[in-house]
Amino acid sequence: MLSILKFGGASVKNAEGVENLWRIVKTQRGSLVVVASAMGKTTNALEVILSNFLDGDSSMWSNFEKLKSYHLEIAHQLFKTVCPQKIADIEAVFNDLLNTLRAKPSGSYNFYYDQIIPFGEILSTKIIAIYLNAVGVTNQWVDIRKVLRTDCNFREGNVDYSASEILCRETFQHTDNTIFVTQGFIGGTADGFTTTLGREGSDYSAALLANLLNASSVTIWKDVDGVLNADPRIFPSTIKLDEISFKEAIELAYCGAQIIHPKTIKPLQNKDIPLFVKSFANPTAQGTRVFQTEESIPYPPIFVLKPNQVLISLTPRDYSFVIEDCLSKIFAILYKHRVKANIVQSSAISFTISVDSEVHFLPNAIDELNHSFDVKYNKNMELLTIRHYDEGEFARLMKGKTIFLQQKTRSTIRVVYENETQS
Ligand code: ASP
Ligand code: MG
């Protein structure tokens, strides 16, 4: 039996987090693949370092030093009594990063993104693997860049299932209680370049590995009790859902629920592998089971808020109808610039989409759309989805809000409105 345990950045943000991971891992039975994200806010910090690097901004060096001290401090705390000499291994990773940063940039943003940002996952997993080995949980550190094979679509690598399956089987050979520690979020091309699978993609990595290795389950360890019916940072009273179907989970993730990355469900559903979402602070509590079922589960209203939206309205300059050929033109432009439509609505000559506010791809998409369309947009919007809604509750939530777009089915309401608090 092989299970996958995934630990996100928040669960390993400090030395106590890694000690807690050890306590959880040691109580599990059977063979394990521990998949970890970068520690705390490391990915964001590396994104700043990447921008500094590409802009030739010398604040890169102080940002680099900050990231280094953050990791070395955690490593010192963990290693000091059990394996102080292993600090050198972590310093060596920083030397590799330093060599990358000393070069002159000559490739695309996306390419450099994937050569620099993955250092976060390399660092976290090295610290975890070294510490676990030092405290008696013998494990193998796996460099997933050599195992999870993707194409060269930097920043959103497409996984080659058949090549990865062979590599996975060779690498993750296990007997009774074999433990592996590896990185989420990253993969590698056939010619040895690192790729990433999309922000917050470690859940997806865990699901892919489960699929490729026919694991018996995936457990995602979070800083909440399980899947809640709303984000507790935004909605004051929340209910934990004990069970949800894959179908419900994929809808929630697609609408923007941050608890599970949207790509996570498919690899699991395809092999009928259950997913457990559990609290790393309270590991024996029940959490949430996400699984394949055709039975209808009675859900409470579930609220998913997608902040930082831009609502874009397009009108063909020549007044053509917004029908098949026009729609396919719009979507081809969005696809080319990797802009994802979170909600769409159309009428005779207007087409409206809400997309994430983002600075690298969206401006290019808007420029290209501008050739054929009159483009108008509203920033500072929010997209709220309520599954299994209750009319009264919906009316209460919308009181005083200016709604720009609304869609309603029997089970779901979706609205885009202005976020007045920031404007
Ligand atoms: N560290 C990556 C990110 O923050 C991947 C992940 O956390 O899942 O996006
Ligand atoms: Mg993260």
Side-chain angles (χ1 to χ4, degrees):
M1 191 184 80
L2 176 82
S3 340
I4 314 282
L5 304 184
K6 184 257 165 176
F7 292 86
S11 60
V12 289
K13 66 171 192 260
N14 50 28
E16 293 76 56
V18 178
E19 284 161 357
N20 192 41
L21 177 150
W22 162 67
R23 275 189 288 276
I24 292 174
V25 166
K26 111 184 146 153
T27 58
Q28 307 291 312
R29 298 219 188 88
S31 292
L32 305 173
V33 180
V34 174
V35 175
S37 307
M39 295 177 148
K41 302 270 176 242
T42 295
T43 305
N44 293 353
L46 280 162
E47 283 184 348
V48 174
I49 291 175
L50 169 72
S51 300
N52 297 157
F53 170 72
L54 294 173
D55 298 345
D57 179 342
S58 61
S59 47
M60 176 174 87
W61 300 115
S62 57
N63 290 328
F64 171 85
E65 287 306 327
K66 258 189 241 155
L67 193 71
K68 187 170 168 184
S69 347
Y70 168 61
H71 283 87
L72 288 184
E73 178 129 341
I74 295 175
H76 272 295
Q77 280 183 43
L78 292 167
F79 300 177
K80 68 179 174 228
T81 51
V82 285
C83 57
Q85 74 288 1
K86 290 283 185 186
I87 289 287
D89 292 20
I90 307 307
E91 281 169 341
V93 182
F94 277 102
N95 286 339
D96 290 346
L97 175 57
L98 202 58
N99 286 336
T100 312
L101 296 177
R102 279 195 179 128
K104 263 219 156 331
S106 60
S108 69
Y109 177 84
N110 292 348
F111 172 75
Y112 275 110
Y113 190 99
D114 284 5
Q115 308 322 305
I116 291 175
I117 307 301
F119 274 97
E121 271 67 18
I122 301 294
L123 285 161
S124 65
T125 54
K126 286 238 160 154
I127 294 175
I128 294 166
I130 292 170
Y131 176 70
L132 290 182
N133 272 326
V135 291
V137 177
T138 308
N139 69 90
Q140 295 171 40
W141 182 82
V142 172
D143 186 344
I144 207 71
R145 295 171 293 188
K146 301 199 171 99
V147 182
L148 211 54
R149 180 63 57 78
T150 73
D151 62 6
C152 298
N153 193 34
F154 294 111
R155 285 193 76 191
E156 197 154 6
N158 297 297
V159 175
D160 176 341
Y161 270 72
S162 31
S164 304
E165 184 161 27
I166 297 168
L167 292 164
C168 266
R169 297 262 161 88
E170 276 166 18
T171 310
F172 292 98
Q173 285 185 28
H174 53 97
T175 48
D176 288 349
N177 293 303
T178 318
I179 300 178
F180 302 92
V181 174
T182 196
Q183 308 79 48
F185 177 53
I186 69 177
T189 66
D191 21 299
F193 289 110
T194 309
T195 49
T196 59
L197 307 176
R199 276 302 307 256
E200 307 302 334
S202 299
D203 295 348
Y204 176 43
S205 302
L208 282 168
L209 290 177
N211 177 300
L212 297 168
L213 294 165
N214 291 320
S216 54
S217 68
V218 173
T219 306
I220 298 183
W221 298 91
K222 301 282 290 185
D223 52 358
V224 284
D225 292 338
V227 178
L228 308 178
N229 75 323
D231 184 335
R233 290 167 302 187
I234 305 170
F235 295 89
S237 62
T238 56
I239 308 166
K240 181 190 66 94
L241 308 167
D242 294 339
E243 293 192 323
I244 59 174
S245 66
F246 279 139
K247 212 164 150 195
E248 186 66 25
I250 208 161
E251 291 291 349
L252 294 175
Y254 174 80
C255 294
Q258 290 189 342
I259 190 97
I260 307 167
H261 187 278
K263 287 183 169 174
T264 310
I265 303 300
K266 182 176 162 25
L268 299 177
Q269 188 279 342
N270 291 177
K271 290 230 174 135
D272 201 0
I273 300 168
L275 168 70
F276 298 92
V277 179
K278 298 184 74 156
S279 155
F280 63 73
N282 193 4
T284 51
Q286 187 199 4
T288 300
R289 177 166 75 120
V290 186
F291 66 118
Q292 180 70 44
T293 175
E294 289 313 319
E295 275 170 38
S296 69
I297 299 174
Y299 297 109
I302 307 179
F303 304 87
V304 181
L305 186 68
K306 221 170 172 6
N308 304 325
Q309 297 294 293
V310 182
L311 192 67
I312 306 176
S313 293
L314 308 172
T315 305
R317 291 194 188 280
D318 61 1
Y319 264 47
S320 326
F321 284 126
V322 179
I323 47 171
E324 292 79 358
D325 54 344
C326 180
L327 286 172
S328 57
K329 189 167 169 182
I330 296 171
F331 280 106
I333 295 173
L334 296 177
Y335 183 72
K336 176 172 155 199
H337 295 287
R338 302 192 187 186
V339 173
K340 294 196 174 84
N342 297 323
I343 187 167
V344 303
Q345 192 151 295
S346 65
S347 72
I349 56 157
S350 104
F351 180 76
T352 308
I353 47 170
S354 181
V355 302
D356 293 349
S357 170
E358 176 279 338
V359 292
H360 290 288
F361 300 113
L362 190 55
N364 298 335
I366 291 184
D367 276 354
E368 195 168 339
L369 288 165
N370 244 317
H371 296 163
S372 321
F373 301 91
D374 184 20
V375 184
K376 294 209 171 66
Y377 51 92
N378 294 83
K379 293 182 175 168
N380 200 22
M381 297 279 151
E382 295 193 333
L383 166 59
L384 175 69
T385 304
I386 313 178
R387 304 261 306 153
H388 320 289
Y389 62 91
D390 165 302
E391 290 284 0
E393 179 69 2
F394 173 65
R396 200 186 56 75
L397 276 172
M398 287 302 111
K399 205 155 173 242
K401 299 228 176 336
T402 315
I403 296 180
F404 283 64
L405 185 155
Q406 177 167 336
Q407 285 177 359
K408 194 166 168 184
T409 66
R410 271 182 301 166
S411 64
T412 310
I413 281 195
R414 308 191 77 197
V415 272
V416 178
Y417 55 84
E418 196 165 13
N419 174 7
E420 274 115 16
T421 55
Q422 277 175 32
S423 50

